[in-house]
Amino acid sequence: MKHGRTSLFIPGPTNVPDALRLAMDLPMEDQRAPDFPAFTLGLFEDLKKVFKTDSGQIFIFPGSGTGGWEAAITNTLSPGDKVLAARFGQFSHLWIDLCQRHGLEVEVVEVPWGEGVPAETFAERLAADKGQEFKAVLVCQNETATGVTSDVAAVRKALDASRHPALLMVDGVSSIASIDFRMEEWGVDLVVSGSQKGFMLPTGLAIVGVSQKALAARENAKCPRCFFDFDDMIRTNKDGFFPYTPATGLLRGLRASVDMLLSEGLGNVFARHHRIAEGVRRAVAAWGLELCAKEPKWYSDTVSAICVPEGFDGNEVARVAYGRYNLSLGLGLSEVAGKVFRIGHLGSLNELMVLSAISGSEMAMCDLGIAIRPGSGVGAAQEYYRQTARPVDLGNSVAKAV
Ligand SMILES: Cc1ncc(COP(=O)(O)O)c(C=O)c1O
């Protein structure tokens, strides 16, 4: 029998804070009630603040991130259209695969896993595309399989440098609401997110931001679509309703999540993720191990993929951590299966929670015979968290209590 909670350190779904769980613990409600729009219209508006767009529109589909990818593609493109994408991890790969299954012609730039979107190569390919055949450029902002964050603004610059009209599409599934993202400023046309990562909710919503340019592209888009059709959403959302039964409980949770994010302040949310992530990176360095992300410029503040030494299996680390210490770690996926294990550090987390994941990882690695000094990673992360802790005036109240 297991006691206590299983520590959840996969990179999504993430921990759901009690306040959000309670916000969803409601009787079912009427999605056509006259006061429902007062709730939904405000939610659409406030989500724009999270995506940082004024002119764009946000759609909320029942679904997961994969549904969001499909919505982005099918509403704006036609079979045979050319798109430019880089493959450098399981999720950038899966989005390419989805495009190909929809009949798109994907020019794939193969990139070593551990690096991110090669903005310079994209700039060259776009400049060489004199006929402007590329209809879209895909960027996976945070590749969850390898813990790599890419520079979306650099891809916008590459498009602008050759005055290329292709749509800029971003997978923000493991970055939105955790890592800086600026839809308006970066000229992003479509961005896909899911409820189960930075929004700290259960899986079940695909949240998609769409620019006016991308909305206009649907006039000529011939990919078949029904469930994910923006037209049906536009027609009903304008009055605060949905074309089919919305996931009302999750929408209530999303309201509470957006309130939480905006009241903390997005800048603070990003800084908190960075600090938590940096503690994990200090631990990895103290273990003498390396991240899958090859250079600091690629380091992700939401997930660290940690390479295990030759002769060891990263998935075994996760298996031992789960079996012995009630700790869920992320497995290595596809090309990096066995080579890494992952610590997800996004959503509602604090220092001591993350120290437990570092500690459990350390124990599992020691159990498997990996040459790690027990406590070394925990100690390095503790030191960093202590040095960077917010000053708190404990002053007299403590003295008096004693
Ligand atoms: C970066 C990224 N994109 C897309 C997806 C797919 O999302 P979902 O599993 O919610 O369909 C994931 C899932 O982890 C992801 O991490």
Side-chain angles (χ1 to χ4, degrees):
M1 183 178 288
K2 288 186 172 186
H3 288 285
R5 280 197 182 162
T6 296
S7 304
L8 188 65
F9 281 88
I10 54 172
T14 63
N15 296 284
V16 180
D18 290 345
L20 300 196
R21 275 222 300 274
L22 291 172
M24 293 183 285
D25 186 8
L26 290 167
M28 285 304 102
E29 62 183 304
D30 174 4
Q31 77 277 11
R32 296 198 177 87
D35 58 355
F36 196 62
F39 159 59
T40 52
L41 293 173
L43 180 57
F44 289 133
E45 275 312 298
D46 285 343
L47 276 167
K48 287 165 72 172
K49 296 178 191 157
V50 177
F51 283 71
K52 295 196 180 155
T53 179
D54 297 321
S55 61
Q57 185 159 358
I58 308 293
F59 297 116
I60 311 171
F61 292 98
S64 70
T66 306
W69 281 339
E70 184 153 323
I73 295 302
T74 56
N75 280 281
T76 55
L77 300 172
S78 304
D81 277 354
K82 267 184 90 169
V83 305
L84 179 62
R87 176 167 26 223
F88 48 88
Q90 180 65 357
F91 295 100
S92 45
H93 161 70
L94 286 175
W95 200 9
I96 290 168
D97 177 58
L98 183 139
C99 289
Q100 289 168 334
R101 292 204 225 170
H102 279 284
L104 303 179
E105 194 190 317
V106 189
E107 182 159 319
V108 183
V109 180
E110 300 289 350
V111 172
W113 290 33
E115 297 176 19
V117 171
E120 311 76 31
T121 310
F122 274 25
E124 286 162 20
R125 301 280 172 106
L126 290 165
D129 181 28
K130 299 293 179 212
Q132 301 191 326
E133 285 182 23
F134 288 125
K135 297 295 177 235
V137 175
L138 271 44
V139 175
C140 181
Q141 188 187 11
N142 190 73
E143 174 50 80
T144 322
T146 55
V148 160
T149 299
S150 288
D151 186 350
V152 179
V155 178
R156 166 44 63 199
K157 270 195 202 136
L159 279 156
D160 290 349
S162 51
R163 296 178 194 275
H164 203 294
L167 297 170
L168 175 56
M169 300 193 184
V170 175
D171 173 340
V173 174
S174 59
S175 54
I176 299 291
S178 324
I179 294 176
D180 192 15
F181 176 78
R182 308 176 195 184
M183 182 168 171
E184 194 87 26
E185 189 182 321
W186 296 343
V188 173
D189 293 299
L190 277 137
V191 55
V192 175
S193 180
S195 47
Q196 77 275 26
K197 307 219 186 215
F199 286 105
M200 307 169 283
L201 293 169
T203 316
L205 298 176
I207 308 161
V208 182
V210 188
S211 73
Q212 292 302 321
K213 181 174 158 185
L215 286 175
R218 73 189 200 286
E219 303 290 323
N220 301 317
K222 303 273 186 307
C223 280
R225 53 193 184 270
C226 172
F227 186 77
F228 290 116
D229 201 326
F230 288 167
D231 280 350
D232 298 329
M233 280 289 181
I234 291 168
R235 206 169 21 80
T236 49
N237 282 181
K238 74 176 178 4
D239 300 320
F241 297 109
F242 290 84
Y244 35 70
T245 317
T248 50
L250 280 170
L251 292 180
R252 293 287 171 185
L254 186 59
R255 174 72 267 173
S257 161
V258 169
D259 287 343
M260 196 180 249
L261 291 165
L262 295 179
S263 74
E264 182 175 356
L266 290 175
N268 294 330
V269 171
F270 304 149
R272 174 167 55 80
H273 278 81
H274 176 73
R275 180 165 168 271
I276 291 283
E278 187 54 31
V280 173
R281 292 191 279 264
R282 300 284 171 111
V284 174
W287 290 332
L289 298 181
E290 296 205 331
L291 291 170
C292 181
K294 293 197 168 132
E295 287 177 64
K297 70 172 178 178
W298 304 123
Y299 288 174
S300 164
D301 283 342
T302 59
V303 54
S304 294
I306 298 152
C307 300
V308 291
E310 280 287 322
F312 293 95
D313 182 344
N315 288 350
E316 276 295 292
V317 176
R319 197 178 67 81
V320 171
Y322 187 77
R324 291 192 178 162
Y325 307 117
N326 277 358
L327 168 65
S328 272
L329 296 169
L331 300 175
L333 302 174
S334 182
E335 259 191 44
V336 290
K339 297 181 184 160
V340 303
F341 69 93
R342 292 175 298 153
I343 299 181
H345 34 78
L346 73 163
S348 182
L349 290 177
N350 60 34
E351 296 88 337
L352 293 191
M353 290 165 82
V354 176
L355 284 170
S356 76
I358 296 170
S359 167
S361 304
E362 220 161 58
M363 291 197 287
M365 286 192 284
C366 288
D367 292 353
L368 288 167
I370 298 178
I372 299 290
R373 190 165 53 76
S376 54
V378 172
Q382 280 176 334
E383 202 49 36
Y384 174 75
Y385 292 143
R386 285 182 51 247
Q387 280 164 9
T388 56
R390 206 162 11 103
V392 180
D393 183 10
L394 296 174
N396 290 335
S397 56
V398 173
K400 270 189 212 138
V402 174

